[in-house]
Amino acid sequence: MIQLRTAISGDAAGLARVHVDSWRETYADYVPESYFGEEVFEARSAMWTNYLALPKPHGTLTVVDRDGRIVGFSFSGPASGPEPELGIDPARTLQLFSIYLLGAEQGAGIGTRLLRAAIGDQPAQLWVATKNTRAIDFYRHHGFATDGTEYVDANIAGLVELRMVR
């Protein structure tokens, strides 16, 4: 049974596992293996633990719970990064930071439900790797379009991200 719900403090490890495993499933062909190791899982677990401990989180974090196991999540909030670091002004005030869904869960409409939970039908922006054509197609289907803004990730050789807006 699938349930979408707001993330709670005990979800940090499940969020981290989906985060890292989704990266592995999606980016293994063009992101170094060092992005998928246990140390990355531990860092993501700490990140989510810290976020979930905030008295007033700055965004919307929704998890997909299948039979007590987190299999996906979406995260949105006020637009930030990479714009400030790169001198790029945000195109929208709301940003979809991420939708991560394990590959076995894709194609059943859960991503659409996560998108709705994160931003509804509001204008928003997001960043997506140019090589992630499945995600680009998904966002286009939901009214997003590229706006011509892109950047090269300084930490990962050959990774280019583009901004999509709705």
Side-chain angles (χ1 to χ4, degrees), residues 97-147:
F97 296 112
S98 53
I99 293 180
Y100 288 111
L101 187 60
L102 296 177
E105 303 292 337
Q106 294 177 10
I110 300 169
T112 298
R113 291 175 61 192
L114 282 169
L115 181 63
R116 287 186 187 130
I119 63 172
D121 60 359
Q122 298 178 74
Q125 68 177 37
L126 60 91
W127 290 90
V128 62
T130 56
K131 294 180 181 178
N132 191 348
T133 56
R134 183 172 184 166
I136 292 169
D137 291 344
F138 171 81
Y139 293 125
R140 282 191 176 131
H141 177 75
H142 290 284
F144 285 86
T146 58
D147 73 352

Side-chain angles (χ1 to χ4, degrees), residues 23 27 29-36 129 131 151-161:
W23 280 351
Y27 303 117
D29 291 340
Y30 49 95
V31 172
E33 180 65 28
S34 62
Y35 278 75
F36 312 130
K131 294 180 181 178
Y151 77 97
V152 176
D153 192 311
N155 299 312
I156 304 172
L159 183 68
V160 178
E161 295 198 42

Side-chain angles (χ1 to χ4, degrees), residues 3-128:
Q3 174 189 15
L4 267 69
R5 60 175 174 77
T6 301
I8 58 173
S9 61
D11 290 336
L15 286 161
R17 180 55 54 208
V18 168
H19 208 156
V20 174
D21 288 352
S22 293
W23 280 351
R24 182 179 293 114
E25 291 175 347
T26 304
Y27 303 117
D29 291 340
Y30 49 95
V31 172
E33 180 65 28
S34 62
Y35 278 75
F36 312 130
E38 269 316 290
E39 65 283 350
V40 177
F41 167 75
E42 293 298 329
R44 287 291 155 177
S45 188
M47 180 195 82
W48 288 119
T49 296
N50 291 336
Y51 177 80
L52 291 167
L54 292 172
K56 290 185 113 181
H58 66 276
T60 300
L61 180 56
T62 302
V63 299
V64 179
D65 183 312
R66 178 182 290 284
D67 301 324
R69 179 176 163 245
I70 295 174
V71 297
F73 69 90
S74 62
F75 182 43
S76 64
S80 66
E83 295 89 348
E85 298 87 9
L86 301 173
I88 300 170
D89 291 329
R92 302 285 187 268
T93 57
L94 178 62
Q95 182 160 329
L96 177 64
F97 296 112
S98 53
I99 293 180
Y100 288 111
L101 187 60
L102 296 177
E105 303 292 337
Q106 294 177 10
I110 300 169
T112 298
R113 291 175 61 192
L114 282 169
L115 181 63
R116 287 186 187 130
I119 63 172
D121 60 359
Q122 298 178 74
Q125 68 177 37
L126 60 91
W127 290 90
V128 62

